[in-house]
Amino acid sequence: MAAKTIDHAFTATSLRSAATDPTFAGALSFMRRRFTKDLTGVDAAVWGIPFDAATSNRPGARFGPQAIRRASAIFDNDPQYPFNRDLFAQMSVIDYGDCLLDYGNHAETPAAIERQATTIIDSGAFLLTLGGDHYVTWPLLEAHAEKHGPLALVQFDAHQDTWLDHEGRIDHGSFVARAARSGIIDPAHSIQVGIRTHAPEDCGLRLIYGHEVEEMTASEIAAAILERTAGRPAYLTFDIDCLDPAYAPGTGTPVAGGPSSAKILSVLSKLGALDIRGADVVEVAPAYDHADITAIAGATVAMYMLGLRAERLAKG
């Protein structure tokens, strides 16, 4: 016991140290990473945005960051499957905590998210965001595009989110249309995977519908993503309702007929060549979850995103 510590999120002496907290105890940062606002020497920062005022159906995604952090405790110190590496041996990762928002002033929300995200991005750290509803991706895209230029959007989702609205609305179903119109994403190199609903237009993105996901192998889906993005700087956004409700019941707008978590995780594992400049996992609403099924899926997706980043850093 002498070599072990507890509450690694606060007691860690190195950003590259493994945790020894029991899975059932200790401070619940994401994968036991140190809670800090100090971005010095940080390769990746995990950040929560507890916002769900843009939901069109069931609210509750404001509790998503908490649920994902809690579920991530199962990944705290072992070599992570399928990467077979300690993700933090060569990659300094922190939990930056949550975005500060005024719950009574939603008009200020997008600017607050973009401003705080920009602070992290400008430090040079890779930003992995835990939502929150899917509206939060809009200001996140603005912040990333300011640094990297127009992005190839890779979106896992049951919904296209291409409903048109005016710029002042707070709506989780329109950020893709806005991003395409404003030029912060490049539709010709963007793709949506798992779509099981219809919207008025596709805004020029390629769609892989839910029934096509069932017919394609994971390798074929990954190849389609890499072909479409063609080496461009990419933003990866994962709406947990991409998964069938059997694998992710805890979400605001579940849609039947989706893929399993196993299949989509296999797709993600094959995206090592994707030049991911930022990523998020959104729409986890734990009030509708059972036995943390959705939170575990969300935490696993987020871990895979860090795993892809760790592999890229290891390759130089």
Side-chain angles (χ1 to χ4, degrees):
M1 292 294 291
K4 292 183 179 290
T5 61
I6 193 71
D7 297 319
H8 188 84
F10 299 109
T11 62
T13 57
S14 170
L15 297 184
R16 295 185 177 180
S17 58
T20 56
D21 299 58
T23 300
F24 52 84
L28 291 173
S29 61
F30 185 79
M31 292 182 72
R32 309 288 191 181
R33 296 305 89 201
R34 183 193 291 172
F35 270 124
T36 180
K37 300 294 187 185
D38 183 359
L39 292 160
T40 305
V42 171
D43 295 314
V46 182
W47 186 48
I49 305 182
F51 177 81
D52 64 4
T55 52
S56 55
N57 192 28
R58 305 187 302 195
R62 68 183 62 186
F63 299 106
Q66 289 181 353
I68 294 171
R69 285 184 173 106
R70 184 178 67 249
S72 76
I74 61 175
F75 302 128
D76 59 357
N77 59 6
D78 294 329
Q80 295 308 319
Y81 176 87
F83 305 100
N84 195 25
R85 67 172 66 237
D86 175 358
L87 301 187
F88 311 118
Q90 295 178 303
M91 181 172 68
S92 300
V93 182
I94 64 167
D95 190 320
Y96 194 77
D98 284 344
C99 182
L100 177 62
L101 298 171
D102 181 353
Y103 72 90
N105 191 355
H106 298 316
E108 297 298 321
T109 292
I113 294 173
E114 183 179 355
R115 181 175 61 253
Q116 293 173 59
T118 297
T119 296
I120 301 171
I121 296 166
D122 283 350
S123 76
F126 175 83
L127 177 57
L128 170 58
T129 301
L130 313 176
D133 67 44
H134 219 159
Y135 176 80
V136 305
T137 302
W138 162 244
L140 288 170
L141 282 172
E142 287 195 300
H144 283 84
E146 181 66 25
K147 182 175 182 66
H148 303 295
L151 296 155
L153 180 67
V154 179
Q155 179 180 353
F156 290 83
D157 208 322
H159 308 88
Q160 293 174 245
D161 297 329
T162 54
W163 293 88
L164 296 174
D165 61 17
H166 63 79
E167 297 299 328
R169 289 193 76 239
I170 306 291
D171 187 334
H172 69 161
S174 59
F175 80 92
V176 175
R178 254 186 224 184
R181 286 201 312 268
S182 65
I184 64 175
I185 65 168
D186 180 357
H189 293 286
S190 297
I191 187 168
Q192 298 174 317
V193 178
I195 302 300
R196 304 189 296 284
T197 54
H198 292 296
E201 60 177 300
D202 60 23
C203 294
L205 283 73
R206 179 180 174 185
L207 277 63
I208 300 181
Y209 286 103
H211 69 276
E212 295 176 298
V213 169
E214 288 303 299
E215 295 164 358
M216 298 169 70
T217 66
S219 294
E220 288 170 337
I221 297 168
I225 293 170
L226 295 173
E227 180 182 12
R228 182 69 173 183
T229 54
R232 266 67 170 184
Y235 187 90
L236 179 58
T237 180
F238 197 104
D239 188 324
I240 205 68
D241 70 28
C242 173
L243 304 178
D244 189 88
Y247 305 94
T251 191
T253 314
V255 182
S260 70
S261 54
K263 184 162 192 176
I264 293 302
L265 290 171
S266 183
V267 174
L268 288 173
S269 72
K270 302 176 193 308
L271 296 181
L274 188 65
D275 185 8
I276 306 171
R277 300 300 178 91
D280 64 52
V281 182
V282 297
E283 298 284 357
V284 172
Y288 315 106
D289 209 359
H290 173 71
D292 284 340
I293 293 172
T294 312
I296 291 169
T300 307
V301 168
M303 183 272 286
Y304 270 53
M305 291 172 171
L306 287 181
L308 291 172
R309 183 68 177 173
E311 286 192 333
R312 196 171 185 88
L313 288 175
K315 292 175 181 177

